[in-house]
Amino acid sequence: MMELLSSAQVEQFLEAKLADREIAGLIQQFALPYRELMAYYRCAMMEVSEKFHVLNEEMSLQYDRNPIETVKTRLKSPESIVEKLQRRGYPLSVESIEANLNDVAGVRVICSYTSDIYMLADALTRQDDILLIQRKDYIENPKPNGYRSLHLIVGVPIFLRSEKKIMKVEVQFRTISMDFWASLEHKIRYKKNLPTVADLERELFECAVLSAELENRMERIQKMADCYLNDSGKEKKT
């Protein structure tokens, strides 16, 4: 085969083979440390997720309802990790992932009402083993496109066989309507050949505003119902 190729083609072929071997060597070199780091992130996600399940159980007894609808976990894909490191100009290494990325491990908490979000966020950050690293409130200050959510970066300890490690976890709090809106916006944003993007963005923004208004009305109804039930209970006792 080599006789049929020009010298330039042979050189390219050898360079490609060398690159393949180098890549294979890098994979072998970093595969175990990378898998270990991802295992640590998974452990941290489980720790945070379990904390919310405990809080939900406690608050369901106190408020006679579950403030949490669902708790979801997500580990960032290798492709997304590499893309983000390269985009931000960070080196591609296991140490760089841990030092420079805050959202490798993610926990999303879906709540019924906005007040539940702040109540749960406060309950989480008051725990003595949770370190609050960063807080971004897109509910009080929505993004220009209408996106609303509360984002926390927290440090959570995981206990290994011979050491304790503090791992970073991104926690996103959303109401049901916030989550539905964000899911729709994400699907639309990644579609190709969109017609009149400005019109879609305006519609999405208006939907975000209407969604916030509906949430407030539903929460007022919930509070009115709670007051009625409490008053009814007092009357029965007397």
Side-chain angles (χ1 to χ4, degrees):
M1 182 181 74
M2 291 293 185
E3 294 176 355
L4 300 177
L5 299 174
S6 67
S7 59
Q9 289 173 319
V10 170
E11 184 177 343
Q12 290 176 358
F13 176 81
L14 293 175
E15 286 179 352
K17 287 298 180 184
L18 179 60
D20 288 345
R21 285 196 292 271
E22 288 176 345
I23 291 170
L26 286 171
I27 291 173
Q28 291 178 355
Q29 180 182 351
F30 293 111
L32 180 58
Y34 176 81
R35 287 201 301 269
E36 287 180 345
L37 182 61
M38 293 304 108
Y40 298 158
Y41 278 122
R42 279 192 290 271
C43 291
M45 286 192 303
M46 287 190 289
E47 289 284 346
V48 174
S49 178
E50 186 58 32
K51 285 178 179 292
F52 284 117
H53 288 304
V54 171
L55 287 171
N56 195 42
E57 185 69 23
E58 177 196 359
M59 292 177 179
S60 69
L61 297 173
Q62 183 177 355
Y63 299 103
D64 198 29
R65 66 179 181 85
N66 293 98
I68 298 176
E69 294 291 329
T70 56
V71 178
K72 304 174 184 178
T73 59
R74 180 271 304 152
L75 193 67
K76 208 171 187 68
S77 69
E79 295 81 6
S80 295
I81 289 173
V82 170
E83 186 276 331
K84 194 163 190 177
L85 287 174
Q86 289 180 327
R87 175 161 44 87
R88 296 188 172 185
Y90 295 125
L92 297 177
S93 67
V94 171
E95 294 77 14
S96 179
I97 294 171
E98 192 170 2
N100 298 311
L101 299 186
N102 292 332
D103 61 346
V104 175
V107 175
R108 183 174 297 159
V109 183
I110 311 301
C111 303
S112 299
Y113 306 112
T114 303
S115 60
D116 294 332
I117 288 177
Y118 291 114
M119 176 177 63
L120 288 163
D122 182 61
L124 176 70
T125 54
R126 280 192 288 106
Q127 296 186 16
D128 57 13
D129 60 343
I130 290 291
L131 172 66
L132 178 61
I133 298 171
Q134 187 180 83
R135 176 187 175 104
K136 291 184 178 179
D137 192 339
Y138 297 115
I139 300 174
E140 288 291 327
N141 302 289
K143 289 187 176 181
N145 66 350
Y147 174 83
R148 297 182 303 127
S149 183
L150 177 65
H151 291 200
L152 304 180
I153 305 298
V154 299
V156 58
I158 61 168
F159 295 88
L160 307 172
R161 184 180 61 182
S162 57
E163 63 173 324
K164 178 178 80 170
K165 283 184 68 70
I166 303 297
M167 303 301 298
K168 288 181 286 188
V169 177
E170 180 188 52
V171 184
Q172 289 185 0
F173 295 90
R174 295 176 182 172
T175 62
I176 299 169
S177 63
M178 287 178 199
D179 191 56
F180 176 72
W181 183 93
S183 176
L184 176 63
E185 191 270 346
H186 180 80
K187 290 175 184 177
I188 290 175
R189 187 158 52 91
Y190 285 94
K191 292 281 186 183
K192 294 183 178 180
N193 302 319
L194 286 173
T196 321
V197 174
D199 291 344
L200 287 172
E201 289 179 347
R202 183 173 63 253
E203 286 287 336
L204 281 168
F205 179 79
E206 290 175 0
C207 284
V209 173
L210 291 172
S211 172
E213 292 174 353
L214 179 61
E215 277 179 20
N216 291 332
R217 290 185 66 180
M218 293 298 292
E219 187 163 5
R220 284 198 298 270
I221 293 171
Q222 177 68 55
K223 289 178 179 178
M224 289 169 62
D226 289 343
C227 289
Y228 175 79
L229 291 172
N230 290 335
D231 291 341
S232 298
K234 290 176 183 178
E235 289 175 6
K236 289 179 182 179
K237 288 180 181 179
T238 56

